[in-house]
Amino acid sequence: MTESMARPAFDPEIARALEQHRDIIVTSMAREDIPRVRGLGADVSTMHASTHAAFDRLDLTAPGVDGARDVDLVVLRPAAAREPVPVIMFLHGGGMVAGTADSDLDLVAELAYETGCAVVSAEYRLAPEDPYPAALEDAVSALTWVTSGEGPDLLDPQRVVLAGISAGGGLAASTALFWRDRGGAALAGLMLLCPMLDHRSSSCSARQMVGVGSWDATANATAWEAYLNGADPAPYASPSANEDLGGLPPTFIDVGSAETFRDECVEFASRIWERGGDAELHVWPGGAHAFDVLAPWAQLSQAARLPRSLWLQRRLERS
């Protein structure tokens, strides 16, 4: 970052949360830090943990597609459901190098509860041990299972929203592009929460936020290097490297103004609009990366969660 480049300010409550939890927040990351980051992920995922009594949990396995390995899944099915319910097919965060199917599960369970959905969260493989395309293969296998009707009773395979947060958001975008090109079943929507979309880490927001907040361009570059492992980022490894963003399902994108991914998210939405697509974009002023996971009690976090529910309800009514 150049000395003359100003940084956007953090929302005061988000700034306080960043300070309070600085021992488990990843700002910069080198390759040798990945084992430590994986350990921190367990702390982050349980920081605000609560078991949602409205769901029955099932631990299942989806068969791999086209010779890929089988994929472990966590399924949350509404306990009171008596007829088929829509499904949020969810991909967790963790920079493609950390996280599990249980990561971020409280966040998506809350959204599912508000909108009458089930959740299927996939345990996709992580880099650097399993670089691209391993995670994409796992996500495609999980989505194939969900949309095929092979899942448990009361999961509606014709009303599926593909969703992800951070790296999982980027993986969801990649999966949607792959799914589009392979003629997969129609999806009700694509929800990308502070998604990791661009391997270049060269945007204005990436340069502004070096060394501050959560997940800076240094961490991002390390994660992408581990995930790509020399692979061509186009057309599916890095969603922003795909030349054509037409034909995606209606897409919801949200991001903070004070985070690395801000500008790549704005550009991604703009490119969907350029192709005549349907995208809803929210840029939350003063939000750090994944601020509503970090500080769900903050006013900004509460404001950010409402549009997700409203968008999802509209999409499901129209599907």
Side-chain angles (χ1 to χ4, degrees), residues 29-41:
M29 180 183 73
R31 183 83 168 226
E32 57 268 24
D33 295 326
I34 290 175
R36 179 182 63 84
V37 169
R38 288 176 176 171
L40 293 176

Side-chain angles (χ1 to χ4, degrees), residues 124-197:
Y124 60 84
R125 283 170 286 176
L126 302 176
E129 295 86 353
D130 292 293
Y132 174 82
L136 178 62
E137 291 174 348
D138 294 346
V140 170
S141 295
L143 185 58
T144 300
W145 180 84
V146 171
T147 57
S148 69
E150 296 177 3
D153 292 343
L154 305 179
L155 270 61
D156 188 344
Q158 297 183 352
R159 291 185 293 166
V160 177
V161 171
L162 179 59
I165 184 169
S166 191
L171 182 57
S174 295
T175 303
L177 290 164
F178 184 92
W179 196 251
R180 174 201 67 185
D181 294 346
R182 297 305 188 275
L187 300 176
L190 175 64
M191 177 173 281
L192 311 178
L193 308 179
C194 55
M196 177 180 166
L197 297 167

Side-chain angles (χ1 to χ4, degrees), residues 35 40 50 68 83 113 126 139 183 209 219 235 248 262 273 278 317:
L40 293 176
S50 60
E83 58 186 26
Y113 177 72
L126 302 176
M209 303 310 297
L248 289 173
R262 181 195 67 215
W273 295 323
D278 180 344
E317 288 170 358

